Amino acid sequence: MAKVQVKYLTKPTNEIIDHINKFNKTINEDDVRDFLKENDNFCLIIYVFNKLDSLIFLKNSEETHEILVSSLYMNEYSTFKECVNFLINKFSNYKVVIDSTFKDKNFINVVKKNGGVLKNNRYIIQL
């Protein structure tokens, strides 16, 4: 089993910007800064054996108790399970919501394996 670390960040730090530059040059740094400046938005950074694997940007809705996956950049989709486990510990009685904009079949299969159920054109994982 790979050693996986999940880091929870709520502010637009240099660490996130550095990772964005390593990950994908098409991500706009200013958009990320604006996204993270909004209340209740956050980012998970996933490391596998101390190397960057994934960035996941999420929106937290306290009203509906939903955590919406806004965007994600993953090398290894299997680390999504670690993200779900992290969110379970941080947000009980919430739902992780993946809407229909995510078309990657490999990612959707991982979501299903982690308890994702299709409802109203969105995959929902109950935490």
Side-chain angles (χ1 to χ4, degrees):
M1 183 70 182
K3 183 181 177 192
V4 178
Q5 294 174 289
V6 179
K7 199 172 201 180
Y8 173 86
L9 297 167
T10 58
K11 302 218 181 322
T13 65
N14 288 337
E15 180 180 14
I16 293 174
I17 301 306
D18 289 344
H19 286 332
I20 287 170
N21 290 331
K22 290 177 191 171
F23 222 102
N24 184 340
K25 295 290 184 190
T26 63
I27 304 171
N28 185 313
E29 293 177 24
D30 292 332
D31 290 346
V32 170
R33 283 188 180 93
D34 290 344
F35 176 83
L36 290 173
K37 284 179 184 175
E38 290 181 32
N39 286 347
D40 301 324
N41 291 353
F42 61 98
C43 174
L44 296 180
I45 299 177
I46 298 88
Y47 299 94
V48 177
F49 292 116
N50 296 321
K51 290 186 177 180
L52 174 67
D53 180 79
S54 308
L55 291 168
I56 303 177
F57 295 94
L58 302 122
K59 295 181 178 193
N60 176 8
S61 172
E62 291 182 6
E63 291 175 12
T64 61
H65 281 245
E66 292 181 344
I67 298 172
L68 176 66
V69 177
S70 177
S71 59
L72 69 137
Y73 306 92
M74 301 185 92
N75 286 324
E76 182 58 51
Y77 287 128
S78 63
T79 58
F80 187 71
K81 180 173 179 48
E82 300 297 329
C83 297
V84 171
N85 290 339
F86 178 86
L87 293 170
I88 286 170
N89 291 328
K90 188 125 181 100
F91 300 95
S92 60
N93 298 318
Y94 270 70
K95 296 178 271 195
V96 176
V97 177
I98 298 99
D99 68 20
S100 60
T101 60
F102 292 97
K103 303 288 185 197
D104 186 315
K105 290 182 182 182
N106 293 323
F107 176 64
I108 296 302
N109 286 336
V110 169
V111 169
K112 288 178 185 176
K113 286 180 185 176
N114 286 284
V117 176
L118 184 62
K119 290 182 183 175
N120 298 326
N121 212 21
R122 304 181 325 163
Y123 284 92
I124 298 175
I125 301 172
Q126 185 68 46
L127 300 181

